[in-house]
Amino acid sequence: MVTIDSILLEWSYRCNDGVVDLNNPKKKAILEQVLSELGIEDTQEITEVSLSPTQLEKPFPPRSEFSSQYKDRGEKFLDKIINNEDFTLNDGSIIKLDSDASLEAIKLLQNKDYRSLGKGVKLLVDTNGKEYSLAQFKKTDEFGSGKGSGAGAANTALQESTQCLANAIAYRVKNSPINKEDLNDENIEEALKYIDVTSSVDEMKSFLKDPSWAKTFINTANVLLAQFYNPNFEFHRGSSFTNSIYSAYKTASKSEGISMQSDKWNPADIWLVSPSVKNITFPTDLKELNGLIAELLASNKLIGVSLKKLGDSAKVSLNNITGEELEGYSYEGPPISTNKSKEAKIKYNKGVIAFRTFNYATNFAGEIQGKTAAHGKVGTGAINDALKLNQLPLLPSTQELKSEFEDNNETLINDFYNIYNNIVENISEDDFNTILENKDIDWKVSKYLSLKIGDIVNSASSSIQDEFISDLIRYASSSTKISSAFVKIS
């Protein structure tokens, strides 16, 4: 039986850049040739494949950018839920899944009990409370569909691998800044000796010459060459060496009880690697690991680089090299909250952080509102990481609180009353209990957590207050003090 996956695989193989696109006339003609050979007459007969337990059980192919990160596609699905990433449904709509509301599904994914997510059961709940079965999720390219939208929006792995190739031409072949004329087959063949990447040679050759990306590859290579020259550098993307760095972090973070994902700890897309460091065994103590990476960056032997598509110019910024270089923020408490609102705000010298639930009794987070721009949100996991780093009490989960409020837990109610009195208004216990009787579970969970975080921080020393605020904001920009050194191109 001919499957859709096999058709897509053959189609992508015959496209020079490995990317399929029905809107491209030449590529559509290639597809029609493939279908003709298979006895299929109409491209409309091809439909998208939905996700299924069988799909989740499959490992990623060796060429996939995820092959070294996940044992199977179910682990990637779980990671996307935890990181609050977008999912695409079969109807084309985009949703985010609520990790609290989807807790039963998360446990099944963690236990790799993928079969229990089949047969139409609806255990996946989005941030609006709507329930879905696994079959309603589209099998996008990150789950192995093979689909793409053309070289101009090529997948991340190919972009990063091709940047390594351009870097190798500048550093190892030309030993000077490069231009479009230098992106020729002769230089490419020579440069291949100095890269360790995940994309094929043919894919990179084609993408390197794409006019919508060539400027980015050239400008990035040139600015790196000017700032971090080392004639012995190799250029890695998804290599066994760079994977060993992230493996060390995963071990270190687990022992520290830290939930920060590896791409927040160090968001480097590619690495500039001196052969002299390739035999290093990276420590699994977080401070030692971060110190070593900072030292190697400072000595120009190992540089992680976060990439971005560029215009006519490029600039470099250093991140997390030393503690002194990290920008700090100042706490300007006490927390602010009214008797009607379900949120509490903490002021800092450059804005406020508003804490509240962002879905009904779930998804508690702090929204960082700067005076000039928003910095994003930090969820309960990030908040607890920052509390733990500063040796402050941790917040309970929304699920735990909902259960305790439903049981009318006396200890919880007393604590709620005390911090409400301290921050919002000084009222009697009877008046407070009357307020609770007239509020729903969302208000109770949101109000308690937002006041609790305010009370914890306001009770700390001034230096800890400043550190906590700074950690939250740095977390949002991949720059906490548990993050490691990297270079950002923009």
mmCIF file of all heavy atoms in Angstrom, residues 160-162 164-165 195-200 204 235-239:
data_model
loop_
_atom_site.group_PDB
_atom_site.id
_atom_site.type_symbol
_atom_site.label_atom_id
_atom_site.label_comp_id
_atom_site.label_asym_id
_atom_site.label_seq_id
_atom_site.Cartn_x
_atom_site.Cartn_y
_atom_site.Cartn_z
ATOM 1 N N GLU A 160 20.367 26.530 10.180
ATOM 2 C CA GLU A 160 21.511 26.522 11.087
ATOM 3 C C GLU A 160 22.689 25.762 10.489
ATOM 4 O O GLU A 160 23.856 26.180 10.621
ATOM 5 C CB GLU A 160 21.090 25.928 12.427
ATOM 6 C CG GLU A 160 20.063 26.800 13.140
ATOM 7 C CD GLU A 160 19.354 26.110 14.301
ATOM 8 O OE1 GLU A 160 19.655 24.929 14.566
ATOM 9 O OE2 GLU A 160 18.488 26.754 14.917
ATOM 10 N N SER A 161 22.402 24.640 9.835
ATOM 11 C CA SER A 161 23.477 23.875 9.193
ATOM 12 C C SER A 161 24.140 24.688 8.085
ATOM 13 O O SER A 161 25.369 24.681 7.936
ATOM 14 C CB SER A 161 22.913 22.571 8.617
ATOM 15 O OG SER A 161 22.412 21.718 9.629
ATOM 16 N N THR A 162 23.325 25.399 7.308
ATOM 17 C CA THR A 162 23.866 26.186 6.208
ATOM 18 C C THR A 162 24.696 27.355 6.717
ATOM 19 O O THR A 162 25.701 27.734 6.108
ATOM 20 C CB THR A 162 22.722 26.690 5.307
ATOM 21 O OG1 THR A 162 21.912 25.591 4.904
ATOM 22 C CG2 THR A 162 23.267 27.373 4.065
ATOM 23 N N CYS A 164 26.548 27.244 9.323
ATOM 24 C CA CYS A 164 27.841 26.625 9.630
ATOM 25 C C CYS A 164 28.696 26.524 8.369
ATOM 26 O O CYS A 164 29.916 26.773 8.414
ATOM 27 C CB CYS A 164 27.634 25.237 10.235
ATOM 28 S SG CYS A 164 27.012 25.235 11.932
ATOM 29 N N LEU A 165 28.090 26.167 7.271
ATOM 30 C CA LEU A 165 28.819 26.050 6.010
ATOM 31 C C LEU A 165 29.369 27.406 5.566
ATOM 32 O O LEU A 165 30.531 27.513 5.165
ATOM 33 C CB LEU A 165 27.899 25.461 4.940
ATOM 34 C CG LEU A 165 28.509 25.237 3.547
ATOM 35 C CD1 LEU A 165 29.696 24.288 3.635
ATOM 36 C CD2 LEU A 165 27.444 24.686 2.599
ATOM 37 N N ILE A 195 32.826 21.277 9.097
ATOM 38 C CA ILE A 195 31.497 21.387 9.706
ATOM 39 C C ILE A 195 31.021 20.024 10.182
ATOM 40 O O ILE A 195 31.412 18.985 9.645
ATOM 41 C CB ILE A 195 30.459 21.991 8.742
ATOM 42 C CG1 ILE A 195 30.200 21.084 7.532
ATOM 43 C CG2 ILE A 195 30.897 23.382 8.291
ATOM 44 C CD1 ILE A 195 29.064 21.561 6.639
ATOM 45 N N ASP A 196 30.180 20.029 11.211
ATOM 46 C CA ASP A 196 29.534 18.823 11.734
ATOM 47 C C ASP A 196 28.078 19.200 11.979
ATOM 48 O O ASP A 196 27.741 19.811 12.995
ATOM 49 C CB ASP A 196 30.208 18.366 13.020
ATOM 50 C CG ASP A 196 29.751 16.979 13.477
ATOM 51 O OD1 ASP A 196 28.670 16.541 13.026
ATOM 52 O OD2 ASP A 196 30.466 16.352 14.277
ATOM 53 N N VAL A 197 27.209 18.874 11.010
ATOM 54 C CA VAL A 197 25.839 19.378 11.012
ATOM 55 C C VAL A 197 24.856 18.252 10.715
ATOM 56 O O VAL A 197 25.253 17.102 10.507
ATOM 57 C CB VAL A 197 25.674 20.523 9.978
ATOM 58 C CG1 VAL A 197 26.566 21.700 10.343
ATOM 59 C CG2 VAL A 197 25.996 20.044 8.569
ATOM 60 N N THR A 198 23.566 18.607 10.632
ATOM 61 C CA THR A 198 22.521 17.594 10.475
ATOM 62 C C THR A 198 21.871 17.578 9.094
ATOM 63 O O THR A 198 21.102 16.668 8.799
ATOM 64 C CB THR A 198 21.412 17.814 11.527
ATOM 65 O OG1 THR A 198 20.922 19.147 11.428
ATOM 66 C CG2 THR A 198 21.946 17.593 12.926
ATOM 67 N N SER A 199 22.144 18.561 8.246
ATOM 68 C CA SER A 199 21.521 18.624 6.919
ATOM 69 C C SER A 199 22.466 18.058 5.856
ATOM 70 O O SER A 199 23.691 18.031 6.046
ATOM 71 C CB SER A 199 21.140 20.063 6.569
ATOM 72 O OG SER A 199 20.141 20.549 7.443
ATOM 73 N N SER A 200 21.898 17.644 4.727
ATOM 74 C CA SER A 200 22.705 17.053 3.659
ATOM 75 C C SER A 200 23.439 18.132 2.865
ATOM 76 O O SER A 200 23.075 19.312 2.882
ATOM 77 C CB SER A 200 21.809 16.255 2.706
ATOM 78 O OG SER A 200 21.011 17.125 1.930
ATOM 79 N N MET A 204 22.110 21.998 1.733
ATOM 80 C CA MET A 204 22.837 23.215 2.106
ATOM 81 C C MET A 204 23.323 23.985 0.877
ATOM 82 O O MET A 204 23.280 25.217 0.859
ATOM 83 C CB MET A 204 24.016 22.860 3.021
ATOM 84 C CG MET A 204 23.600 22.368 4.393
ATOM 85 S SD MET A 204 25.002 22.143 5.512
ATOM 86 C CE MET A 204 25.863 20.790 4.709
ATOM 87 N N PHE A 235 32.634 24.172 12.904
ATOM 88 C CA PHE A 235 31.301 24.742 13.072
ATOM 89 C C PHE A 235 30.288 23.607 13.205
ATOM 90 O O PHE A 235 30.126 22.797 12.296
ATOM 91 C CB PHE A 235 30.999 25.681 11.900
ATOM 92 C CG PHE A 235 32.075 26.710 11.743
ATOM 93 C CD1 PHE A 235 33.152 26.476 10.903
ATOM 94 C CD2 PHE A 235 32.053 27.880 12.485
ATOM 95 C CE1 PHE A 235 34.187 27.398 10.788
ATOM 96 C CE2 PHE A 235 33.081 28.811 12.386
ATOM 97 C CZ PHE A 235 34.155 28.565 11.539
ATOM 98 N N HIS A 236 29.637 23.574 14.372
ATOM 99 C CA HIS A 236 28.796 22.434 14.737
ATOM 100 C C HIS A 236 27.336 22.836 14.899
ATOM 101 O O HIS A 236 27.027 23.907 15.415
ATOM 102 C CB HIS A 236 29.274 21.843 16.060
ATOM 103 C CG HIS A 236 30.583 21.134 15.977
ATOM 104 N ND1 HIS A 236 30.797 19.890 16.529
ATOM 105 C CD2 HIS A 236 31.762 21.490 15.399
ATOM 106 C CE1 HIS A 236 32.050 19.519 16.307
ATOM 107 N NE2 HIS A 236 32.661 20.477 15.635
ATOM 108 N N ARG A 237 26.493 21.934 14.458
ATOM 109 C CA ARG A 237 25.052 22.059 14.685
ATOM 110 C C ARG A 237 24.491 20.649 14.911
ATOM 111 O O ARG A 237 24.532 19.808 14.014
ATOM 112 C CB ARG A 237 24.379 22.708 13.473
ATOM 113 C CG ARG A 237 22.923 23.113 13.702
ATOM 114 C CD ARG A 237 21.934 22.031 13.431
ATOM 115 N NE ARG A 237 20.618 22.387 13.935
ATOM 116 C CZ ARG A 237 19.657 21.523 14.221
ATOM 117 N NH1 ARG A 237 19.863 20.227 14.056
ATOM 118 N NH2 ARG A 237 18.508 21.934 14.681
ATOM 119 N N GLY A 238 24.020 20.359 16.149
ATOM 120 C CA GLY A 238 23.453 19.047 16.425
ATOM 121 C C GLY A 238 24.470 17.922 16.402
ATOM 122 O O GLY A 238 24.102 16.759 16.189
ATOM 123 N N SER A 239 25.755 18.221 16.641
ATOM 124 C CA SER A 239 26.794 17.188 16.640
ATOM 125 C C SER A 239 26.799 16.446 17.971
ATOM 126 O O SER A 239 26.215 16.899 18.964
ATOM 127 C CB SER A 239 28.160 17.823 16.396
ATOM 128 O OG SER A 239 28.540 18.638 17.504
#
